[in-house]
Amino acid sequence: MPEAEYEASKQDLIETTLNHLDRYVPNIRERLAYVEASTPRTFQHYTRLHHEAPLHWHAEPAIPEGLPVVAGPGYWAVTRLDDILHCSKHPELFSSAGGITIYDTPTEFNEYFGSMISMDDPRHARLRRLVSAGFTPRVLGRLEASVQTIAGEIVDEVCEQGEVDFVTDVAAKLPLRIVCDLMGIPRSRYDEVFARTNVILGFSDPEYVPDEHDIVTATLTAGGELAALMDEVAASKRGGEDRKSTRLNSSHITISYAVFCLKKK
């Protein structure tokens, strides 16, 4: 393909994508333009900190209205490699348990929505060993057929419809079904998982958390319902002999805890 044709095709794809995203992310073009313009300045700030103040104390920034976070005193910016390595090896002094963002996160949110990177050793190391055992090349190789089957099912469902919402009908369904299959969640509960995770990840979107609902209550409720679902799955699998049961029986922790620690973020 000639370069000019390739560039035109790329721009068409970008424009199509932005038009679609604009339905879900208000002012997406303005936001991306701001990120593009501010990125060089951001790296300039990092470079200055690294050379002039590798350990620098910053006051806590103002908390945007509506965010369920706690105002803290501030934070240290650590930008030198040796210091970063030292911090990572001393969780008794430098903890990630309070969250991994500048703002302090409420304990309840960390319990439901925190990932493994917002844990300290030995808790982090123990869970990492359990999770990594399920993602070795050999294990993933055995899952390939299942993933291909799921992808084929999704294509079969949409190919005769003529017009679909790609995000909802394809892009969201593929990872959702793969993860639910790995976790042993019944197909009858897939829509429930999809709805609850949308509330958690899209808490600022009125489509998922209407104005009349409190964001904190809505997200904690969704997290609690997902935890309860995974507790049901764990209870049904204990003592079994399939691959999901084997993972459940490998530790005293329940899979509900593991799955929420796997999340993002």
Side-chain angles (χ1 to χ4, degrees), residues 67-86:
L67 279 186
V69 296
V70 180
Y75 63 96
W76 287 99
V78 184
T79 56
R80 191 170 56 186
L81 176 60
D82 289 344
D83 295 328
I84 293 171
L85 292 175
H86 179 79

